[in-house]
Amino acid sequence: MILGIESSCDDSSVCVSEIATKRLLFHRKISQEAEHAKYGGVVPELASRLHAVDLPRLLEEAAPYLDDLQAIAVTNAPGLSVTLLEGVAMAQALSIAKGLPIVAVNHLKAHIYSLFIERDTIFPLLVLLISGGHTMVLDVHGYDEIHTLATTMDDSFGESFDKVAKMMGLGYPGGPIIENLAKKGDPDRFDLPIPLQHSPKIAFSYSGLKNAVRLLVEEHKPLDERTKADIAAAFQKAAIAHLMQKSKKIFEKIRPKDFAIVGGASANTAVRETFANLCAQYGATLHLADLQFCSDNAAMVARCGIDGWAMEDFTDALTIEVSPRANF
Ligand code: KG4
Ligand code: ZN
């Protein structure tokens, strides 16, 4: 069995998975969203204090499995250093006490493995990763063969939803709030620019669109409910059109057989529908994680750890490091 630990941002999560069958035996997550909502975004110091309270509680719930562990998988990058340290410190203590190897898991790779919980992997796979911290297209050939084909030049897709929600005073996290509001709005009342529409660059950018929304919000203050919904709908339409236009260029080059969308923002229904159409157009199969595994969780960390364990990709408990950034 392998223990999974996740604390890269505002979710404390612990799980136990069986290595041979990949079965998830225990999985618990405590989200801190309500605590951070008061401040309109994640407060790192508060997040780390909450992890310090919640992770040991979750570990205690996993106590019946601890004697059967063969390894520990823990997220060590990328993420908030002060929150990553909480999970890593717990992994270090357990590793030393029980003589267990540690698989240090890249959080972005863990999101890819959210597709394979209790399943075998599918490679090669073209992956669109959309989360609060990242917007990337990845060409994935295996556990340690991942190539970045496109990334964001500034804000990420999920982050732009969070910021637009904050501008309109709607709360945190903005993704589900904007998505729900957009359903009630007219996406054509306002004409927002699709980022890098006329650029040949295969990259993402959300800061220009975010600023265009800021100007719209200023212009229409105080916002009535109708205008809020129309802005949300226009923003979401432009944000997704950008994802689609750049991904389409990559589809033209790679012609993938298998394509997946992962990360917290992959829960967005309009994103899912848009990419289902793109896949149908190119004869690709669309893979999506179960909704419960789209946002940060330990199950995907342990699943990635199972492949790391098989390759003996271990990190020393005394020298494991955390980092806000990570490459493949
Ligand atoms: O993967 P995740 O849980 O954490 C990070 O690794 O960042 O992703 C969280 C991000 C937040 O920015 C949140 O607003 C966004 O995913 N998100 C969404 C939706 N649900 C969550 N964005 C757009 N539409 C959604 N339905
Ligand atoms: Zn994430």
Side-chain angles (χ1 to χ4, degrees):
M1 288 177 201
I2 187 163
L3 183 78
I5 305 172
E6 160 62 29
S7 68
S8 65
C9 189
D10 59 348
D11 293 296
S12 310
S13 185
V14 169
C15 82
V16 178
S17 295
E18 201 166 54
I19 293 177
T21 62
K22 304 175 182 73
R23 216 152 52 89
L24 194 54
L25 304 174
F26 168 88
H27 185 220
R28 281 268 289 127
K29 162 168 156 169
I30 299 176
S31 169
Q32 308 172 354
E33 273 170 9
E35 313 286 335
H36 297 290
K38 297 172 205 158
Y39 306 96
V42 177
V43 181
E45 169 69 24
L46 172 63
S48 108
R49 277 195 279 124
L50 291 170
H51 285 303
V53 173
D54 291 332
L55 285 173
R57 283 192 187 153
L58 296 180
L59 186 69
E60 210 212 345
E61 286 185 40
Y65 302 96
L66 299 186
D67 281 342
D68 297 316
L69 292 180
Q70 294 153 276
I72 303 162
V74 62
T75 311
N76 75 322
L80 298 167
S81 296
V82 289
T83 64
L84 288 165
L85 275 172
E86 297 294 336
V88 166
M90 196 164 87
Q92 286 173 300
L94 264 175
S95 162
I96 292 164
K98 292 192 166 274
L100 297 171
I102 294 181
V103 181
V105 173
N106 175 318
H107 182 67
L108 308 180
K109 199 149 97 172
H111 272 299
I112 299 171
Y113 274 88
S114 69
L115 298 161
F116 309 130
I117 289 162
E118 303 199 320
R119 286 185 205 143
D120 288 333
T121 51
I122 301 166
F123 298 131
L125 184 65
L126 187 68
V127 176
L128 173 67
L129 166 64
I130 41 177
S131 68
H134 295 85
T135 307
M136 301 175 115
V137 180
L138 305 165
D139 189 14
V140 187
H141 288 263
Y143 173 81
D144 53 5
E145 204 189 333
I146 302 174
H147 308 285
T148 305
L149 302 183
T151 187
T152 182
M153 293 154 55
D154 40 62
D155 292 351
S156 75
F157 181 79
E159 184 182 11
S160 70
F161 278 67
D162 294 334
K163 288 185 175 167
V164 166
K166 194 170 179 181
M167 278 176 218
M168 296 201 277
L170 299 173
Y172 172 86
I177 298 171
I178 295 289
E179 179 182 4
N180 285 328
L181 198 55
K183 286 183 188 141
K184 297 181 224 149
D186 171 7
D188 299 318
R189 175 170 157 207
F190 300 113
D191 201 15
L192 287 169
I194 300 173
L196 305 178
Q197 187 171 195
H198 304 294
S199 162
K201 237 185 211 157
I202 300 188
F204 300 104
S205 167
Y206 282 96
S207 69
L209 176 60
K210 180 188 69 186
N211 286 333
V213 173
R214 192 185 303 284
L215 293 175
L216 210 52
V217 168
E218 289 301 321
E219 197 184 315
H220 290 84
K221 260 183 177 168
L223 299 177
D224 58 48
E225 293 310 306
R226 172 90 259 143
T227 304
K228 281 185 197 169
D230 293 344
I231 291 176
F235 158 72
Q236 179 173 270
K237 183 179 149 198
I240 296 176
H242 176 39
L243 275 187
M244 217 282 292
Q245 285 181 356
K246 296 301 175 188
S247 303
K248 196 169 178 179
K249 287 189 197 279
I250 296 172
F251 266 62
E252 274 298 320
K253 278 194 192 164
I254 299 225
R255 302 253 161 198
K257 217 162 84 34
D258 292 286
F259 174 74
I261 318 174
V262 300
S266 69
N268 186 294
T269 314
V271 168
R272 290 178 169 220
E273 283 167 3
T274 304
F275 279 89
N277 287 336
L278 185 69
C279 285
Q281 210 179 317
Y282 283 83
T285 304
L286 176 63
H287 301 270
L288 296 161
D290 267 18
L291 274 182
Q292 58 169 323
F293 300 128
C294 287
S295 56
D296 297 345
N297 64 83
M300 65 187 191
V301 178
R303 179 62 188 87
C304 184
I306 290 174
D307 279 19
W309 184 85
M311 299 184 74
E312 297 188 17
D313 183 16
F314 301 133
T315 300
D316 190 275
L318 295 179
T319 56
I320 181 172
E321 287 180 352
V322 301
S323 167
R325 275 169 289 280
N327 292 317
F328 294 109

